[in-house]
């Protein structure tokens, strides 16, 4: 059936419900990690979205479609035949280990028996609704698909993406001449750069690719320069690729809306697309474990509403990332409701963009102003002076509530984006006078983030730990420490116990002489109990402690950066290559305390195997060292002296 596109959407019919398509298909849950290992990109993502839509009754107001597999000829319009062959056959490999070997060749990719089917369905779903929207059968659509697509390149799956669903649909629309689609705007608001899509339309002026993403000068995933704002396309495509690279995380509604108002929307007006496809990742959403940004469902709905003014409302949204199930589902619901009704919403926000946001906006506008004259005007000073300081780090207690299971989104959090001053944790720009801004720019960034450093060895004794911060030599130590660049004492100290095994190993250390040192088995074990002393320090200081624990002299970059902090919550341990000769190079996540991650440094699981097999010696601590541990436990009021002695004794003697 054909629908005259203009009439459905005419201004005189604003109250008429739009025809909105939804694709959901349980078969896209078949793709998962081979042994059902925990992974952020898991089947529950689309289930969470679907259940939320069902429980809000939204599916009754939409046209719901099953997924269809995409035909190879449409995939072949953006991917190589090798790539198609890989994805098509990966699930019919004889063994899981064959699949794992293939997956290991790629960056952030897993495969199982269901991967091929899910990939074909995800791409097919987007293509199917794109065609319906192009024909006017639907006004707009949301394809709730996985695996995601925007990282997948012509000849390479990556970043949880197998086929580039959005690129396949876009190329299809352009190639079906009868659809009359000659100009497509792709808006990629996933927190990661859409590297795959960018490359596929790099020289193509028919596709304006716009991506806003965390970039952090190339250190955020996918690392490198592809997401930089100087990447504007080439040849006839020059000017038709727009990247807005955030300098830091924690961006929220105000930052995104500013980018919309001062870059995307003016350009979209001039480009005048025939249709819009949104690479709709929701990993910039508040509470997302990978994204570290704070866009609210309301924020997403405003971003969407502003785009609905173009191409007569013809919009296809395709799910990309988004890893906090509550935040993800709430954001999708807000968007589908906006597609259905174009609800009037209050667009004024109580918070301002970051200063860095204006810097990025200005840089992008300048870079693209010859292609898009609308960007050439200088932004008024009174506008760009309204900023939220990067130093105002939110105490993000409330974000935790997204982690408590389904449907716990607190209304006040969603609506009240202003954070009272009393909740702001204003941290000093510590140590900046001692380092040159250029060589160690990471320091001022990491100085703004607090972590709990969990000590289980001699650092439980505060005077000994302070040597790592302030420099010096505590009782019993054979040599002094350099200390951290930022010598500020820990902001807080507290104690806890963790279900992990404490043990002693190695033959001697430079600091304590002959005898073993303390290790925490990174694997948890609920039969065990280890006392840990938590010090609230900055992530910058944590890096300096890591460095001293692993005996290294110089550093121009942090070993454990913000990206590592983002991923450790689901990876649980991160073994630091750069420090792999050190005994304590494995950073382990031990949960949160007051919403601040608890990190410790210990040996790797592999080393624990070595200790168990006798390849690495188990060895009781030397006297001076054991005394320091006991002192820490007693002064921290955790144990009496006798109890502390036997606690250490047991850890030193009980078999692993
Ligand atoms: N430590 C999407 O959101 N992260 N993909 C690798 C390495 C990969 C995200 C972290 C993130 C991929 C579609
Ligand atoms: Zn993403």
């Amino acid at each position: 059936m054909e629908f005259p596109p203009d009439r459905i959407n005419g201004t005189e019919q604003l109250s008429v419900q739009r025809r909105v398509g939804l694709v959901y298909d349980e078969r896209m849950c078949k793709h998962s990690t081979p042994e059902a290992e925990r992974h952020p990109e898991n089947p529950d993502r689309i289930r969470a979205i679907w259940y939320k839509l069902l429980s809000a009754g939204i599916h009754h107001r939409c046209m719901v479609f099953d997924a269809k597999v995409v035909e190879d000829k449409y995939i072949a319009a953006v991917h190589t035949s090798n790539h198609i062959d890989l994805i098509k056959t990966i699930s019919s490999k004889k063994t899981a280990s064959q699949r794992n070997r293939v997956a290991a060749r790629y960056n952030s990719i897993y495969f199982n028996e269901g991967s091929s089917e899910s990939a074909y369905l995800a791409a097919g779903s987007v293509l199917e609704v794109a065609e319906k929207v192009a024909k006017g059968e639907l006004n707009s659509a949301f394809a709730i698909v996985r695996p995601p697509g925007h990282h997948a390149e012509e000849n390479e799956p990556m970043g949880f993406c197998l086929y580039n669903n959005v690129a396949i649909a876009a190329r299809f629309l352009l190639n079906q001449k009868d659809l009359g689609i000659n100009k497509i705007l792709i808006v990629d608001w996933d927190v990661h750069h859409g590297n795959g899509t960018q490359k596929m339309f790099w020289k193509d002026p028919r596709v304006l690719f716009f991506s806003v993403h965390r970039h952090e000068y190339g250190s955020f995933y996918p690392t490198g320069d592809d997401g930089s704002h100087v990447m504007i396309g080439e040849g006839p495509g020059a000017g038709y690729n727009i990247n807005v690279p955030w300098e830091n995380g924690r961006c929220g509604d105000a930052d995104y809306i500013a980018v919309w108002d001062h870059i995307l929307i003016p350009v979209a007006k001039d480009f005048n697309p025939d249709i819009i496809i949104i690479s709709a990742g929701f990993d910039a959403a508040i509470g997302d474990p990978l994204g570290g940004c704070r866009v609210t469902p309301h924020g997403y709905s405003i971003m969407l509403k502003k785009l609905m003014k173009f191409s007569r409302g013809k919009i296809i949204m395709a799910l990309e990332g988004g890893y906090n199930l509550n935040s993800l589902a709430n954001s999708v619901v807000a968007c589908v409701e906006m597609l259905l009704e174009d609800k009037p919403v209050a667009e004024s926000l109580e918070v301002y963009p970051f200063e860095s946001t204006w810097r990025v906006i200005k840089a992008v506008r300048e870079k693209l102003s010859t292609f898009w004259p609308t960007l050439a005007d200088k932004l008024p000073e009174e506008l760009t002076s309204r900023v939220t300081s990067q130093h105002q780090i939110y105490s993000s207690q409330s974000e935790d509530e997204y982690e408590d299971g389904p449907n716990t989104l607190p209304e006040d959090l969603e609506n009240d984006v202003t954070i009272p001053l009393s909740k702001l944790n204003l941290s000093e720009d510590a140590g900046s006078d001692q380092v040159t801004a250029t060589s160690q720019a990471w320091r001022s960034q990491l100085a703004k983030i607090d972590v709990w450093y969990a000590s289980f060895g001699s650092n439980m004794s505060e005077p000994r730990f302070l040597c790592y911060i302030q420099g010096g030599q505590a009782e019993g130590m054979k040599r002094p420490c350099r200390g951290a660049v930022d010598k500020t004492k820990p902001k807080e100290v507290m104690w806890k116990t963790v279900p992990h095994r404490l043990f002693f190993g190695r033959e001697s250390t430079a600091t304590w002489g002959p005898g073993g040192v303390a290790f925490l088995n990174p694997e948890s074990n609920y039969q065990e109990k280890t006392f840990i002393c938590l010090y609230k320090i900055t992530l910058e200081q944590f890096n300096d402690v890591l460095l001293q624990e692993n005996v290294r002299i110089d550093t121009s970059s942090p070993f454990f950066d913000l990206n590592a902090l983002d991923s450790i919550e689901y990876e649980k341990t991160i073994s630091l290559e750069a420090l792999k000769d050190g005994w304590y190079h494995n950073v382990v996540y031990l949960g949160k305390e007051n919403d601040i991650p608890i990190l410790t440094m210990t040996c790797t699981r592999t080393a624990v195997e070595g200790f168990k097999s006798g390849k690495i010696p188990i060895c009781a601590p030397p006297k001076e060292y054991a005394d320091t541990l006991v002192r820490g436990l007693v002064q921290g009021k955790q144990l009496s002296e006798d109890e502390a002695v036997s606690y250490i004794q047991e850890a030193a003697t009980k078999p692993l």
Side-chain angles (χ1 to χ4, degrees):
M1 191 161 40
E2 287 277 337
F3 296 87
D6 287 342
R7 289 227 318 276
I8 298 170
N9 229 357
T11 37
E12 71 279 11
Q13 294 187 38
L14 258 183
S15 59
V16 174
Q17 278 255 320
R18 298 181 146 85
R19 300 172 71 92
V20 176
L22 291 181
V23 192
Y24 176 77
D25 199 313
E26 183 71 21
R27 289 176 293 166
M28 283 183 280
C29 294
K30 290 185 182 173
H31 169 63
S32 74
T33 51
E35 308 272 0
E37 300 94 333
R38 273 170 59 100
H39 193 283
E41 205 294 282
N42 62 67
D44 286 340
R45 297 177 58 237
I46 57 172
R47 289 192 185 114
I49 295 171
W50 189 239
Y51 295 153
K52 189 132 239 165
L53 288 167
L54 294 186
S55 54
I58 291 172
H59 59 303
H60 293 310
R61 299 158 62 197
C62 300
M63 299 184 66
V64 178
F65 302 96
D66 288 337
K68 278 198 195 135
V69 299
V70 67
E71 286 182 54
D72 282 348
K73 64 176 180 194
Y74 299 131
I75 311 173
V78 300
H79 289 291
T80 63
S81 59
N82 277 338
H83 185 97
I84 298 174
D85 204 52
L86 165 74
I87 303 303
K88 189 203 275 287
T89 59
I90 192 68
S91 291
S92 46
K93 290 256 181 304
K94 280 193 242 27
T95 64
S97 77
Q98 274 176 302
R99 272 193 288 277
N100 294 344
R101 266 202 301 281
V102 180
R105 296 210 302 260
Y106 300 104
N107 176 341
S108 305
I109 286 294
Y110 63 77
F111 297 120
N112 73 341
E113 317 74 37
S115 300
S116 303
E117 187 181 357
S118 296
Y120 273 83
L121 291 168
S125 303
V126 181
L127 186 142
E128 185 191 1
V129 289
E131 182 174 27
K132 289 187 196 308
V133 172
K135 284 184 172 161
E137 292 173 27
L138 295 170
N139 293 99
S140 59
F142 199 120
I144 306 157
V145 298
R146 66 179 288 278
H150 73 151
H151 294 307
E153 299 197 344
E154 184 183 25
N155 191 32
E156 191 175 338
M158 72 178 268
F160 319 156
C161 301
L162 304 186
Y163 283 144
N164 194 318
N165 311 316
V166 163
I168 292 170
R171 188 61 61 75
F172 167 83
L173 294 178
L174 293 170
N175 287 349
Q176 297 297 111
K177 295 290 177 229
D178 54 317
L179 295 175
I181 302 291
N182 301 312
K183 286 182 290 178
I184 303 178
L185 168 62
I186 299 180
V187 175
D188 188 330
W189 74 38
D190 186 281
V191 78
H192 303 99
H193 178 233
N195 55 290
T197 317
Q198 164 168 302
K199 286 185 191 169
M200 287 162 175
F201 301 106
W202 186 243
K203 295 183 179 173
D204 193 338
R206 299 171 302 174
V207 174
L208 172 54
F209 178 66
F210 170 93
S211 180
V212 52
H213 44 268
R214 277 181 76 176
H215 185 60
E216 275 133 84
Y217 315 100
S219 68
F220 198 76
Y221 190 90
T223 53
D225 297 334
D226 286 355
S228 147
H229 73 286
V230 306
M231 305 297 275
I232 59 169
E234 215 179 295
Y240 294 90
N241 194 90
I242 304 182
N243 284 325
V244 180
W246 296 135
E247 292 177 3
N248 46 263
R250 299 186 297 281
C251 293
D253 296 353
D255 304 285
Y256 279 81
I257 302 300
V259 165
W260 256 234
D261 289 349
H262 303 291
I263 300 172
L264 178 56
I265 299 304
V267 171
K269 268 188 198 136
D270 288 353
F271 181 63
N272 189 24
D274 298 320
I275 202 163
I276 298 176
I277 310 181
I278 304 181
S279 257
F282 294 92
D283 40 13
I286 185 164
D288 189 277
L290 271 64
C293 290
R294 350 184 5 105
V295 179
T296 67
H298 177 67
Y300 282 114
S301 70
I302 298 176
M303 287 152 63
L304 174 58
K305 182 187 162 74
K306 288 181 185 249
L307 291 170
M308 288 168 67
K309 302 257 186 319
F310 303 98
S311 57
R312 295 195 235 91
K314 286 176 189 287
I315 296 190
I316 300 105
M317 302 184 70
L319 184 65
E320 300 280 2
Y323 307 101
N324 177 313
L325 300 190
N326 279 300
S327 193
L328 170 63
N330 288 329
S331 302
V332 174
V333 164
C335 287
V336 176
E337 286 186 323
M338 185 57 75
L339 290 178
L340 279 165
E341 296 189 57
D342 192 5
K343 280 199 259 176
V345 288
E347 289 180 15
S348 78
L349 297 166
E350 305 290 312
V351 287
Y352 294 129
F354 288 127
E355 194 184 336
S356 58
T357 295
W358 289 120
R359 185 160 54 239
V360 171
I361 289 175
K362 284 178 188 162
V364 173
R365 285 172 62 97
E366 197 174 313
K367 183 77 201 166
L368 284 148
S369 57
T370 54
F371 300 96
W372 304 100
T374 172
L375 301 180
D377 312 335
K378 202 167 170 314
L379 291 174
E381 169 77 25
E382 63 270 23
L383 181 69
T384 59
S385 62
R386 292 180 206 148
V387 299
T388 298
S389 163
Q390 282 292 333
H391 295 259
Q392 298 168 358
I393 311 290
Y394 300 111
S395 127
S396 54
Q397 217 140 356
S398 41
E399 280 174 42
D400 226 21
E401 295 174 43
Y402 281 90
E403 280 149 35
D404 296 353
N407 307 325
T408 55
L409 175 63
E411 287 303 317
D412 61 329
L413 176 62
E414 195 177 325
N415 300 327
D416 178 16
V417 284
T418 0
I419 311 289
L421 203 63
S422 59
K423 280 201 162 184
L424 295 174
N425 161 13
L426 300 160
S427 82
E428 314 280 318
D429 197 3
S432 57
D433 53 336
Q434 298 170 36
V435 287
T436 59
T438 43
S439 71
Q440 305 208 321
W442 63 271
R443 288 194 171 271
S444 60
Q445 282 298 319
L446 302 198
K448 294 167 195 161
I449 311 289
D450 284 336
V451 296
W452 292 105
Y453 160 58
S455 58
F456 50 82
S458 62
N459 287 332
M460 290 187 297
S461 170
E462 201 169 345
R464 190 270 172 270
F465 175 63
L466 286 180
C467 299
Y468 277 154
I469 299 294
Q470 305 191 310
Q473 195 167 3
E475 203 182 321
M477 286 166 61
K478 298 222 174 328
R479 53 173 214 182
C481 301
R482 264 180 312 121
V485 170
D486 172 9
K487 300 198 161 34
T488 315
K489 282 193 183 178
K491 298 187 180 81
E492 246 179 275
V493 182
M494 62 173 291
W495 287 80
K496 263 178 95 96
T497 60
V498 286
H500 286 258
R501 171 66 198 274
L502 175 71
F503 66 97
F504 294 89
R506 303 282 180 181
E507 274 154 337
S508 71
T509 60
T511 308
W512 305 100
V517 287
F519 292 98
L520 194 71
N521 187 337
E523 203 80 62
S524 64
N525 173 351
Y526 285 87
Q527 319 307 328
E528 306 283 355
K529 183 167 116 174
T530 291
F531 288 93
I532 54 173
C533 178
L534 305 185
Y535 297 100
K536 196 199 274 184
I537 58 177
T538 70
L539 195 51
E540 183 203 3
Q541 291 175 313
F542 181 79
N543 272 277
D544 283 339
V545 174
L546 252 177
L547 197 76
Q548 295 173 82
E549 280 285 21
N550 289 287
V551 205
R552 280 292 172 116
I553 299 98
D554 187 41
T555 172
S556 53
S557 60
F559 292 107
F560 192 85
D561 62 7
L562 291 168
N563 299 332
L565 188 65
D566 281 342
S567 35
I568 198 163
E569 272 184 56
Y570 72 92
E571 288 176 4
K572 299 301 171 206
T573 77
I574 291 184
S575 165
L576 301 171
E577 262 320 284
L579 294 173
K580 67 177 184 303
D581 300 333
W583 295 343
Y584 287 112
H585 72 270
N586 191 27
V587 178
V588 177
Y589 174 79
L590 296 171
K592 280 188 173 174
E593 188 65 44
N594 295 330
D595 207 40
I596 294 175
I598 305 174
L599 305 177
T600 194
M601 47 195 82
T602 182
C603 62
T604 59
R605 290 194 167 99
T606 321
V608 173
E609 292 314 310
F611 284 115
K612 281 185 182 164
S613 71
K615 254 178 63 193
I616 314 174
I618 291 284
C619 186
K623 176 153 189 340
E624 312 263 66
Y625 181 68
D627 286 349
T628 311
L629 269 72
V630 168
R631 206 175 306 134
L633 288 158
V634 173
Q635 280 167 1
K637 299 192 173 47
Q638 298 306 295
L639 297 172
S640 70
E641 178 145 1
D642 288 350
E643 287 167 340
V645 169
S646 57
Y647 166 76
I648 299 299
Q649 182 70 19
E650 183 177 325
T653 49
K654 207 173 73 174
L656 253 186

